[in-house]
Amino acid sequence: MRVIADLHIHGRYSRATSSQMNLLEIARYSKIKGLNLIGTGDFTQPDWLKEIKQTLAPDADTGLFRLAGNPYSQTRFMLTTEVCTIFDYKEDLKKIHHVILSPNFEAVEQLNERLARFGDLASDGRPILNMTAPQLVEEVMAVSDWNMVFPAHAWTPWFSLFGAFSGFDSIDDCYQDMTKHIHALETGLSSDPAMNWRLSKLDRFTLLSNSDCHSFWPWRIGREANVFELKQFTYNQIIDAIKTNDSTRLKFTIETDPAYGKYHWTGHRNCKVSYSPSEAIKFANICPVCRRRLTKGVEQRVEELADRPADFKRDGVPVFMHLLPLSEIISAVLGVNSPSTQTVWSKYYALVGKFGDEYTVLMDASRDALASVVDLSLAETIVKVREGALKVTPGYDGVYGQLALDASSLSHIKAKPAMKHAQQMSMSDFW
């Protein structure tokens, strides 16, 4: 069975998260995207955990969770959270984010009781804990061997394992004697597996990709995900596939082009300047406009730590596919600034209504099939993104990258009258 999983999201009690990010909306938009497994996010937050318990019920067949009282929903949930540990290491302050996966409510409650000694769990969906990374892992694994913890968005400049401003140069330095319990890392939007393969010291870790979604819109949920092929769709099978980096079960990850990530290149948002690693080094990482320090991008940070060439490829490990959210592709072709316009969503729901979900549109539908629903230029752009034939202008210092289209791709897109019924679908039609 194919399982497409996004294991790192946030609920409505997290800072800067949509108030509509409740479990019903998460399940609804997961179906639109094509996810059949999604993390709950934020089980450390007491109010959110209460909602999780009220809204979800254990699924006996999978060891996961489903919407209570809704036998038609195919979405399964895994209990997940993200926490931030803040601690001193060799006279430097380290701020590291971690993702935690847990098998059941009993394990979650025991873990929350332990973590509450290190910080206020009610303050945010992603609590700040005054403890070291090794301490966190020790507490997590003391509760259950089926718990899992791994570094979140491992390369972003702030709050990450390899972050340029408060991170480490190796996983072993961060987790020390508890590294034996670290089996994976999350690559984040601004890096992909190929970039991580350049570090031989990461060969023993599974590379995961998740959305870190704060918004209920489907262009955020599942923008990165993990694709499993399992004989049994269970919590234990998923955890074991991650632990063993088994490419027969963890088949591939869905990645945005790393240039799309908002910290890929080095730059300074306020001055609207961005640079490749070699260019940034020429400026000594100082902004030539304001003379302040540039925000070092992920590509430059990888270059600093890499011991392999940029074209290095690994064999026998899960592969990856570069995609961009469908709504972002549509808005780029239409030349509109935001995906949240009615024009974009009329075309989005026409495609999803025809093919069933966004991943099918992005990964499987042929050009001719797509062109039976929308204008040929949009159909061709979707296929070009799938094939890696289009470039993305790199993001930097908190600014997302942009899909770069030539003039021939920007022709006017006309609605297809035959799909009028799909364009008028409401959210409830996608259960």
Side-chain angles (χ1 to χ4, degrees), residues 124-185:
D124 188 11
R126 182 181 57 210
I128 295 174
L129 305 176
N130 294 302
M131 63 192 309
T132 68
Q135 280 180 298
L136 172 68
V137 178
E138 186 174 16
E139 296 289 348
V140 169
M141 300 312 299
V143 170
S144 172
D145 288 340
W146 285 105
N147 280 342
M148 175 171 279
V149 57
F150 54 83
H153 43 74
W155 291 96
T156 52
W158 292 277
F159 304 108
S160 75
L161 171 67
F162 294 123
F165 295 134
S166 64
F168 294 84
D169 288 348
S170 75
I171 291 183
D172 293 279
D173 285 345
C174 178
Y175 292 104
Q176 300 174 40
D177 61 328
M178 290 291 107
T179 304
K180 62 187 178 184
H181 295 297
I182 304 299
H183 302 284
L185 65 86

Side-chain angles (χ1 to χ4, degrees), residues 315-337:
D315 296 322
V317 295
V319 293
F320 64 96
M321 172 182 282
H322 280 158
L323 296 174
L324 288 175
L326 177 59
S327 54
E328 300 274 4
I329 297 172
I330 297 170
S331 61
V333 174
L334 290 174
V336 298
N337 293 327

Side-chain angles (χ1 to χ4, degrees), residues 405-418:
L405 299 176
D406 57 35
S408 64
S409 300
L410 295 175
S411 59
H412 180 65
I413 297 185
K414 299 177 182 178
K416 296 286 183 178

Side-chain angles (χ1 to χ4, degrees), residues 3 61-64 78 230 232-239:
V3 176
D61 294 333
T62 64
L64 298 160
M78 182 184 290
L230 303 172
Q232 294 179 310
F233 179 13
T234 66
Y235 176 90
N236 289 1
Q237 282 289 305
I238 291 165
I239 296 301

Side-chain angles (χ1 to χ4, degrees), residues 74-146:
Q74 299 301 308
T75 305
R76 294 296 177 263
F77 287 84
M78 182 184 290
L79 299 173
T80 66
T81 195
E82 181 185 11
V83 301
C84 174
T85 56
I86 296 184
F87 56 101
D88 288 318
Y89 177 83
K90 296 183 177 179
E91 300 182 353
D92 285 332
L93 184 64
K94 302 296 184 181
K95 303 175 183 180
I96 312 296
H97 287 187
H98 319 259
V99 177
I100 303 172
L101 315 179
S102 198
N104 52 53
F105 287 132
E106 181 181 3
V108 162
E109 289 166 349
Q110 291 180 26
L111 180 58
N112 286 352
E113 183 177 352
R114 287 172 172 265
L115 297 183
R117 295 182 285 121
F118 300 94
D120 181 6
L121 300 187
S123 64
D124 188 11
R126 182 181 57 210
I128 295 174
L129 305 176
N130 294 302
M131 63 192 309
T132 68
Q135 280 180 298
L136 172 68
V137 178
E138 186 174 16
E139 296 289 348
V140 169
M141 300 312 299
V143 170
S144 172
D145 288 340
W146 285 105

Side-chain angles (χ1 to χ4, degrees), residues 9-23 26 40-42 45 47-48 51 54 124-125 213-214:
I9 70 165
H10 292 280
R12 65 192 184 94
Y13 292 96
S14 269
R15 191 172 305 160
T17 297
S18 167
S19 61
Q20 296 185 70
M21 195 71 162
N22 60 67
L23 292 162
I26 292 168
T40 60
D42 304 344
Q45 213 286 337
D47 294 322
W48 184 241
E51 286 192 25
Q54 291 172 342
D124 188 11
C213 178
H214 291 253

